[in-house]
Amino acid sequence: MDGKNGRSMMTGLLALVTALAALSLFLAAVWRWHDNDWGASIWLVAFVAMTVIRTPHSLRNRANVVVDADKDIVEKLLLTAMFLAMMLLPLCHLGTPLFRFADYSLPDWATAIGAVLQGPFLWLFWRSHADLGRNWSPGLEVREDHRLVTGGIYASMRNPMYAAIWLSALAQPLLIHNWIGGALVVPAFAAMWFLRVPNEEALMRRRFGAEWDAYCLRAGRLWPKRPG
């Protein structure tokens, strides 16, 4: 077995172990729903919906032929931090009593705001994946025959998927009242936004040049630009 095949097998094994761990924690969280606040149940429903939206795109786009990528150590650390803060740590908190020492309390109206935010979050998350199609990737990658998507939700904003995740990240501590399982996602995603997005836009500029620059003039980063 050569080094490349060995690394591929180890990566696949790690992904399988991680998926099984996440599934086990999810089932434990469902089992312990009565021990958690009602906002946690809303978060679990949104987590399932998010997984249902993304999984078909993840499976289909594995066949993409990547022609340019930016996968340095910072990118890997940012993706790992987001996976932990947005998925694994919340499930660990809801499925076990491990982080109970870091609980805090919020009034019901604050939890209700977090619940309401799940609507625009999931719509933006779904619309972004649907409009990107084969051009979506979880990493900083450009595929063969990659095209610049400027239609649908992308006609008015360049980063609707990041906008969706901002909504989710800000809502999570309102639904999961724990500093580790709930609030930690906010600094984790802030780091991704400020460190990753400039690299992502630089990758788009390398690929699309003047077409990308013209697009940036008419579409906002996180919300639509005003005409003129």
Side-chain angles (χ1 to χ4, degrees):
M1 180 185 302
D2 59 33
K4 185 176 180 179
N5 288 337
R7 288 192 297 272
S8 179
M9 287 188 63
M10 287 298 297
T11 300
L13 181 60
L14 180 60
L16 177 60
V17 171
T18 302
L20 290 174
L23 178 60
S24 298
L25 288 171
F26 172 77
L27 294 175
V30 172
W31 179 261
R32 300 182 73 250
W33 68 270
H34 53 280
D35 294 326
N36 297 306
D37 294 326
W38 65 270
S41 297
I42 299 294
W43 183 89
L44 281 171
V45 171
F47 176 80
V48 172
M50 179 181 69
T51 303
V52 169
I53 291 169
R54 172 159 285 188
T55 298
H57 296 274
S58 297
L59 294 175
R60 181 190 60 189
N61 291 5
R62 286 179 183 176
N64 286 352
V65 177
V66 177
V67 297
D68 193 6
D70 187 355
K71 296 183 178 181
D72 61 11
I73 186 63
V74 174
E75 166 73 358
K76 293 176 181 178
L77 287 174
L78 289 172
L79 287 175
T80 300
M82 276 303 296
F83 173 73
L84 289 173
M86 197 172 190
M87 299 181 188
L88 210 58
L89 291 178
L91 290 175
C92 185
H93 167 62
L94 298 179
T96 75
L98 189 62
F99 301 143
R100 291 300 181 192
F101 67 91
D103 282 351
Y104 55 79
S105 298
L106 288 178
D108 279 349
W109 63 261
T111 306
I113 290 174
V116 169
L117 288 176
Q118 300 311 296
F121 153 56
L122 289 172
W123 184 85
L124 270 175
F125 195 72
W126 163 74
R127 189 67 260 173
S128 301
H129 282 85
D131 288 340
L132 280 179
R134 292 296 295 269
N135 300 290
W136 172 77
S137 170
L140 297 186
E141 299 175 347
V142 172
R143 73 179 184 95
E144 191 176 52
D145 300 323
H146 199 111
R147 67 181 181 87
L148 181 61
V149 177
T150 60
I153 191 67
Y154 286 87
S156 57
M157 52 199 305
R158 306 198 301 271
N159 297 292
M161 195 172 301
Y162 285 106
I165 298 173
W166 264 122
L167 290 174
S168 177
L170 294 173
Q172 187 167 303
L174 300 177
L175 297 174
I176 300 177
H177 305 159
N178 184 269
W179 291 107
I180 298 173
L184 197 59
V185 71
V186 176
F189 186 63
M192 172 166 277
W193 172 254
F194 289 111
L195 295 176
R196 189 192 208 220
V197 170
N199 292 336
E200 184 171 329
E201 297 201 338
L203 184 64
M204 293 293 100
R205 184 166 285 108
R206 287 202 307 269
R207 177 69 174 182
F208 299 107
E211 185 184 3
W212 170 258
D213 291 332
Y215 173 56
C216 291
L217 291 176
R218 64 179 187 270
R221 257 187 171 179
L222 282 176
W223 49 79
K225 280 187 175 181
R226 291 182 179 177

